[in-house]
Amino acid sequence: MLDFDQRGKVFITCKDRFATYLEKEVRELGFVPESVSRTGIELKASLEECMDLNMHLRTASQVLFEIKSFYLQNADDIYRKVKAIEWEEYLDVDGYFSVSSVVDNESVNNPMFVNVRVKDAIVDRFRDKTGRRPDSGSDFQGLVFQLYWKGTQASMYINTSGETIAKHGYRKIPGKAPMLEALAAASIFATEWNTRVPFVNPMCGSGTLAIEAALLATKRYPGLYRDNYSFQYILGYQDEAYQAKKRKLEKKIMEVPEVKIIASDLSLQAIAFAKENAIVAGVDHMIEFKVCDFAETEIPERPRGVVIFNPEYGQRLGESLELEETYKRMGDYMKQKCPGYRGYIFTGNMELAKKVGLKASRRIEFWNGTIDCRLLKYDLYEGKKEE
């Protein structure tokens, strides 16, 4: 049985280009990163602290706690090396587990083969020790183990998250082409919105940007909306400790009625979905929803805040031609209606972005799935720029 207070090596994964925002979150929680890469952060933490990381982080994907690192030259050695690990310290024989792997080794051309060998090794160790074996499957229910293997170096981790924590749990109706919650949170961090000035999101779709803004402003963390993590299946887990952490999250919530968050969309269905998601998140009272063309979205005069668009990218030629006018109108809207604001457009189509008619002061790189995207920043001056 594991000591949940014993510190070890932890690797927090994130989508490529999120690490800057994840590092800020990690530091605000009091952790000091030992290294930062494009897709994650390494630090020292206990399993107890991994619980907190899972429940607080907005831009992360998984929190991995290292069990063992070892030399692994080729696929023939996987079974022997993995079977030598004392799996009975982590997993109950009556439990359930799954395995995932990230492999970069010339002896492997099918990662599924690695997963099967790891599962076989774990099951056979239990069978040799107890005459029984735990159940296993390919889903991320129960306890999740992950092998990271590059070259001749391998590390076995407990994936303490299980299903990705990039999904924050409140979005019951995703709507059309939804933005992943972690991407929405990272985009808001990138705007440097200070949570006390207006946040305006025309063309809001299913409302993810507006909802994430409301969560950020009120210190509502993702752990409020989820009750199933892999760490709950580790031997030594105490549910009382988890429930205490849940109560602490609830006490951190701070209502800020003065904050103005506005979300609009031309689609009545999109706004209905957005409202339902906001209700689940407990922030429907904070967001002003409106069904209208984006150009009719009202902008509070004072204080100046942030206006952010996440329009369609137009992946097909016909769509791109139709969207050219939309992108031009977005530029006109920001120029005419949003003086003094910071304007942003999140897009995966830089040709369409040229139709905005405004010069971007920054081009912040993101991926939306496999699409290379930019969050374009526009400084919307009051009067002439020189003034």
Side-chain angles (χ1 to χ4, degrees), residues 146-293:
Q146 181 162 322
L147 176 68
Y148 178 82
W149 179 17
K150 184 171 183 177
T152 58
Q153 292 301 309
S155 292
M156 184 63 71
Y157 296 93
I158 297 175
N159 174 348
T160 65
S161 307
E163 286 289 350
T164 179
I165 54 174
K167 297 178 180 179
H168 294 167
Y170 60 81
R171 195 167 68 185
K172 304 306 179 187
I173 311 175
K176 181 183 176 183
M179 178 181 267
L180 186 69
E181 293 95 308
L183 176 56
S187 300
I188 295 168
F189 285 140
T191 69
E192 299 180 339
W193 180 56
N194 70 10
T195 75
R196 293 298 177 265
V197 297
F199 184 92
V200 184
N201 179 211
M203 302 171 71
C204 70
S206 57
T208 309
L209 277 165
I211 294 170
E212 287 293 327
L215 299 182
L216 189 61
T218 57
K219 297 190 182 299
R220 284 177 164 90
Y221 292 94
L224 290 166
Y225 311 104
R226 177 168 168 173
D227 275 313
N228 187 29
Y229 299 90
S230 177
F231 62 69
Q232 293 170 304
Y233 300 91
I234 302 171
L235 281 178
Y237 164 77
Q238 298 291 327
D239 191 59
E240 295 84 353
Y242 170 69
Q243 296 301 335
K245 292 179 188 298
K246 195 93 167 178
R247 289 192 293 272
K248 282 185 179 179
L249 285 190
E250 291 168 354
K251 289 179 180 177
K252 287 183 179 182
I253 297 172
M254 48 184 290
E255 296 298 346
V256 280
E258 70 277 10
V259 176
K260 210 166 187 64
I261 300 174
I262 298 169
S264 68
D265 201 282
L266 189 59
S267 166
L268 179 62
Q269 186 183 60
I271 291 296
F273 289 173
K275 284 181 178 178
E276 284 297 317
N277 292 331
I279 288 169
V280 174
V283 295
D284 53 300
H285 63 290
M286 292 184 60
I287 304 172
E288 295 180 24
F289 290 105
K290 186 174 181 182
V291 179
C292 66
D293 181 85

Side-chain angles (χ1 to χ4, degrees), residues 57-347:
L57 295 174
R58 303 178 195 272
T59 60
S61 296
Q62 277 108 19
V63 180
L64 308 177
F65 184 87
E66 187 179 84
I67 296 173
K68 190 177 183 64
S69 60
F70 46 91
Y71 177 83
L72 185 58
Q73 186 169 8
N74 59 60
D76 294 335
D77 296 328
I78 295 172
Y79 180 88
R80 177 175 55 85
K81 292 278 190 178
V82 173
K83 191 178 180 184
I85 298 172
E86 296 177 339
W87 295 104
E88 61 275 10
E89 293 291 313
Y90 310 102
L91 175 65
D92 191 284
V93 68
D94 295 318
Y96 179 93
F97 75 98
S98 57
V99 174
S100 66
S101 59
V102 178
V103 179
D104 181 8
N105 181 279
E106 60 185 13
S107 71
V108 175
N109 57 20
N110 183 359
M112 291 303 296
F113 167 78
V114 175
N115 293 352
V116 170
R117 293 304 284 160
V118 171
K119 279 185 186 179
D120 288 346
I122 295 172
V123 165
D124 287 352
R125 181 179 175 97
F126 272 98
R127 193 178 279 123
D128 290 349
K129 293 278 184 181
T130 68
R132 297 156 59 210
R133 56 154 289 178
D135 287 333
S136 63
S138 58
D139 56 8
F140 273 27
Q141 300 301 311
L143 191 49
V144 180
F145 299 115
Q146 181 162 322
L147 176 68
Y148 178 82
W149 179 17
K150 184 171 183 177
T152 58
Q153 292 301 309
S155 292
M156 184 63 71
Y157 296 93
I158 297 175
N159 174 348
T160 65
S161 307
E163 286 289 350
T164 179
I165 54 174
K167 297 178 180 179
H168 294 167
Y170 60 81
R171 195 167 68 185
K172 304 306 179 187
I173 311 175
K176 181 183 176 183
M179 178 181 267
L180 186 69
E181 293 95 308
L183 176 56
S187 300
I188 295 168
F189 285 140
T191 69
E192 299 180 339
W193 180 56
N194 70 10
T195 75
R196 293 298 177 265
V197 297
F199 184 92
V200 184
N201 179 211
M203 302 171 71
C204 70
S206 57
T208 309
L209 277 165
I211 294 170
E212 287 293 327
L215 299 182
L216 189 61
T218 57
K219 297 190 182 299
R220 284 177 164 90
Y221 292 94
L224 290 166
Y225 311 104
R226 177 168 168 173
D227 275 313
N228 187 29
Y229 299 90
S230 177
F231 62 69
Q232 293 170 304
Y233 300 91
I234 302 171
L235 281 178
Y237 164 77
Q238 298 291 327
D239 191 59
E240 295 84 353
Y242 170 69
Q243 296 301 335
K245 292 179 188 298
K246 195 93 167 178
R247 289 192 293 272
K248 282 185 179 179
L249 285 190
E250 291 168 354
K251 289 179 180 177
K252 287 183 179 182
I253 297 172
M254 48 184 290
E255 296 298 346
V256 280
E258 70 277 10
V259 176
K260 210 166 187 64
I261 300 174
I262 298 169
S264 68
D265 201 282
L266 189 59
S267 166
L268 179 62
Q269 186 183 60
I271 291 296
F273 289 173
K275 284 181 178 178
E276 284 297 317
N277 292 331
I279 288 169
V280 174
V283 295
D284 53 300
H285 63 290
M286 292 184 60
I287 304 172
E288 295 180 24
F289 290 105
K290 186 174 181 182
V291 179
C292 66
D293 181 85
F294 72 81
E296 297 170 15
T297 307
E298 295 179 8
I299 297 290
E301 284 198 18
R302 299 287 178 186
R304 309 304 196 195
V306 165
V307 58
I308 181 167
F309 289 85
N310 177 30
E312 295 181 31
Y313 309 157
Q315 299 301 300
R316 293 186 291 272
L317 179 60
E319 292 175 335
S320 293
L321 292 174
E322 289 177 15
L323 286 169
E324 286 184 4
E325 178 63 21
T326 301
Y327 275 68
K328 178 183 180 300
R329 290 179 63 225
M330 284 192 293
D332 293 341
Y333 172 79
M334 288 192 291
K335 185 165 55 179
Q336 295 163 12
K337 297 284 187 70
C338 310
Y341 272 68
R342 294 198 309 278
Y344 293 88
I345 295 177
F346 188 102
T347 183

